[in-house]
Amino acid sequence: AVILDMEAVPVMDVSGLVALESALGKLQSLGIPVVRAGVRPQPARILRRAGRLHEVPGRFVLAGSVAEAIEKLRSIQPR
């Protein structure tokens, strides 16, 4: 699993979205769950417009912080 900590990303443009989409696509093709943590308001608007600010259980998860992301991963990852 990958935790993508976006708290330090105050602004995202189209090139950032394209790079993120590419990385998420590769992780998805490998079956690796991704938790996006701490998405700030402006990047959230960009992701929402692109249809990428949603959860897909077991694959794409949203969390308010890295600590919350870890807890969410614990609930979906077998031990």
Side-chain angles (χ1 to χ4, degrees), residues 9-62:
V9 181
V11 177
M12 179 184 294
D13 63 7
V14 174
S15 63
L17 177 63
V18 170
L20 179 61
E21 290 282 325
S22 175
L24 291 175
K26 288 177 185 175
L27 292 167
Q28 182 180 3
S29 72
L30 295 171
I32 298 172
V34 177
V35 180
R36 287 167 289 174
V39 180
R40 296 178 69 180
Q42 192 276 341
R45 283 191 299 275
I46 298 292
L47 291 167
R48 189 175 298 110
R49 281 189 215 137
R52 298 298 275 175
L53 193 65
H54 63 280
E55 291 197 22
V56 177
R59 291 185 24 218
F60 294 118
V61 180
L62 298 172

